[in-house]
């Protein structure tokens, strides 16, 4: 199943209130690694922390849905942001984490988007869950070696194809 993101941005900070309002989005399911923080990093970039705070102030609901197995780190980072999180491995490209996240936020799929840096997990899971999908560039080039070598190469091929479509 080839899947294309509905929207592409360079960084999560570009997914702003104007964009969300235009598309009727009030809830965001957000990937963790390389979307909100660097891969396996604990430090939240300042501009991302500010952006999350600003979205929350405007009443946007956020829920981290990550395929991590480091649950202590997940809880700690979600606590720092002060946002919902799926407390476990979200199982992307499966939909369990996303559907649970929507339920936690009390948001219907048509009012939500999945934001992430990987086509084959984040965007595919979002499409399956019936939410809008937003692909962002990975925050850092540090990555799980399998992701780097296999998924990124395939993603680039798929995205190049997307660009060349009429
Ligand atoms: Mg990621």
């Amino acid at each position: 199943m080839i899947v294309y993101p509905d929207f592409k941005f360079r960084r999560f900070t570009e997914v702003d209130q104007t964009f969300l309002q235009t598309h009727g989005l009030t809830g965001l399911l957000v990937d963790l690694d390389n979307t909100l923080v660097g891969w396996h990093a604990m430090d939240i970039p300042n501009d991302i922390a500010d952006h999350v705070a600003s979205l929350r102030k405007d009443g946007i609901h956020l829920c981290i849905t990550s395929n991590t197995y480091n649950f202590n780190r997940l809880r700690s980072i979600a606590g720092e942001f002060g946002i919902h999180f799926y407390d476990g491995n979200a199982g992307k490209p499966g939909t369990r984490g996303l559907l649970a996240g929507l339920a936690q936020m009390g948001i219907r799929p048509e009012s939500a988007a999945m934001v992430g840096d990987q086509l084959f997990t984040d965007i595919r899971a979002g499409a399956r869950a019936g939410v809008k999908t937003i692909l962002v560039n990975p925050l850092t080039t540090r990555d799980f070696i399998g992701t780097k070598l296999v998924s990124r190469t395939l993603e680039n091929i798929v995205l190049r194809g997307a660009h060349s479509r009429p």
Side-chain angles (χ1 to χ4, degrees):
M1 167 181 147
I2 300 264
V3 63
Y4 299 100
D6 294 309
F7 306 100
K8 282 171 66 183
F9 290 98
R10 279 170 301 183
R11 196 172 172 93
F12 181 54
T13 48
E14 295 177 356
V15 183
D16 62 15
Q17 286 88 331
T18 307
F19 167 82
L20 295 174
Q21 202 168 10
T22 302
H23 295 279
L25 301 170
T26 52
L28 292 176
L29 302 153
V30 192
D31 172 51
L32 180 62
D33 284 301
N34 269 338
T35 298
L36 287 177
V37 298
W39 190 70
H40 279 201
M42 287 300 295
D43 297 334
I44 298 169
N46 286 335
D47 65 327
I48 296 208
D50 291 347
H51 185 58
V52 167
S54 164
L55 291 175
R56 290 183 62 209
K57 194 159 63 71
D58 284 358
I60 303 298
H61 299 264
L62 296 109
C63 180
I64 299 174
T65 50
S66 170
N67 277 6
T68 188
Y69 284 100
N70 188 342
F71 304 128
N72 287 332
R73 173 172 166 270
L74 169 66
R75 289 170 193 144
S76 158
I77 291 174
E80 275 189 61
F81 279 119
I83 59 178
H84 294 286
F85 64 104
Y86 178 75
D87 195 7
N89 179 297
K92 298 172 290 185
T95 58
R96 71 163 178 255
L98 279 67
L99 297 179
L102 289 174
Q104 265 194 64
M105 296 190 290
I107 300 281
R108 291 177 310 169
E110 54 268 37
S111 304
M114 173 72 213
V115 187
D117 67 299
Q118 288 192 52
L119 269 186
F120 299 115
T121 50
D122 302 316
I123 302 307
R124 186 176 279 184
R128 283 176 171 167
V131 300
K132 289 277 185 287
T133 54
I134 302 172
L135 185 71
V136 294
N137 292 342
L139 275 183
T140 62
T141 53
R142 285 194 60 204
D143 215 336
F144 173 60
I145 188 77
T147 302
K148 195 176 275 182
L149 291 181
V150 180
S151 295
R152 297 290 178 211
T153 306
L154 289 172
E155 277 177 6
N156 287 335
I157 291 167
V158 170
L159 290 174
R160 263 203 302 277
H163 284 308
S164 62
R165 283 188 305 172

